[in-house]
Amino acid sequence: MTVPAFGLGTFRLKEDVVIASVKTALELGYRAIDTAQIYGNEAEIGKAIKESGVPRNNLFITTKIWTENLSKEKLIPSLKESLEKLRTDYVDLTLIHWPSPDDAVPVEEYMQALLEAKQQGLTREIGISNFTIDLMTRAINAVGVENIATNQIELSPYLQNRKVTEWARAHGVHITSYMTLAYGKALKDEVIIRIAEKHRATPAQVVLAWALAMGYAVIPSSTKRENLASNLNATTLKLDAEDMASIAVLDCNDRLVSPEGLAPAWN
């Protein structure tokens, strides 16, 4: 099993808003949905999936374990609670959302607990999120690289995170990009707009197509049907070498997500 290249993100979407977004996305052909315990929307997503009528085996559902649930005593019970909310017997992928602050719970402990969850059939695949090179190394040593389906990290034209992505590629760790559109900032970029005009595409399609061309999975979110449909079309947009080179120079290490007390020492 591999992580789908294109999925629906649900960060910051709550209650009826997330139900509508998920239902619309499923109608449009999305089949991968990304959520997390801390998003507080697993139950609504479970409801939306149930009401959509899309068979469970056609879907790829990802959730993430919150830092408070990382200990070996709490991880599996918390995942079972997530499954209950999502109205499913298993998820396709479970990630460690953030490394344990100050290593309060060692990487080795929660990766082993996550592997145990996989062995119990609660999740088909396991992975990590917001992991640096050092943390990826420890995760690989704990469970083997074959048990790490992806590292989901912030990536955008302004934060291309080359040290981490090049290390991951060299060591066989797949990357999923979040915050790919940089909270919409990338959509107003003159370079991106120029490339979009050249291809008769939208700026969002260009940025998503760039990330896909880099080999990353993407999980953009939207509440608008037209944007959900338009974003999906990024999968067929092919950028040329000149476009990729133009986007490469936009990198300025502009990180948007780095919560105090939670973020590791970034590479």
Side-chain angles (χ1 to χ4, degrees), residues 30-218:
Y30 285 74
R31 289 297 177 263
I33 299 164
D34 180 278
T35 183
Q37 293 175 342
I38 199 68
Y39 295 175
N41 61 14
E42 289 174 319
E44 287 79 4
I45 289 169
K47 182 177 192 285
I49 289 169
K50 195 81 173 165
E51 291 175 1
S52 75
V54 176
R56 173 66 185 93
N57 60 359
N58 290 354
L59 296 172
F60 191 99
I61 303 172
T62 300
T63 195
K64 310 179 198 81
I65 306 289
W66 187 238
T67 53
E68 289 170 8
N69 298 323
L70 290 179
S71 70
K72 60 184 176 206
E73 295 81 18
K74 290 184 179 176
L75 192 146
I76 286 175
S78 83
L79 180 54
K80 285 179 176 173
E81 201 176 305
S82 291
L83 297 183
E84 212 168 285
K85 289 176 181 171
L86 288 161
R87 306 189 192 190
T88 181
D89 297 332
Y90 68 95
V91 281
D92 299 277
L93 175 62
T94 304
L95 305 178
I96 298 297
H97 201 155
W98 286 88
S100 184
D102 300 322
D103 214 29
V105 182
V107 174
E108 296 72 19
E109 179 178 328
Y110 55 71
M111 291 309 298
Q112 286 291 343
L114 198 54
L115 184 59
E116 173 64 24
K118 180 180 176 179
Q119 288 161 349
Q120 288 185 22
L122 304 173
T123 182
R124 296 268 173 94
E125 297 287 338
I126 62 174
I128 52 183
S129 181
N130 299 302
F131 271 43
T132 58
I133 291 170
D134 175 53
L135 290 162
M136 281 193 282
T137 303
R138 288 176 65 187
I140 288 169
N141 290 340
V143 297
V145 72
E146 69 281 3
N147 281 307
I148 298 173
T150 198
N151 182 13
Q152 186 178 123
I153 57 174
E154 181 185 349
L155 276 171
S156 76
Y158 309 121
L159 180 73
Q160 298 187 21
N161 228 329
R162 290 196 180 103
K163 272 188 192 166
V164 169
T165 57
E166 284 166 13
W167 189 96
R169 186 172 284 122
H171 292 80
V173 177
H174 175 263
I175 294 287
T176 298
S177 161
Y178 75 76
M179 213 58 75
T180 318
L181 305 177
Y183 277 140
K185 182 182 163 190
L187 310 184
K188 300 169 190 148
D189 192 287
E190 287 176 16
V191 172
I192 304 289
I193 290 168
R194 192 172 68 243
I195 296 169
E197 285 168 354
K198 169 179 156 184
H199 290 280
R200 295 184 180 175
T202 67
Q205 286 169 350
V206 168
V207 178
L208 295 169
W210 162 78
L212 291 167
M214 294 294 287
Y216 313 141
V218 293

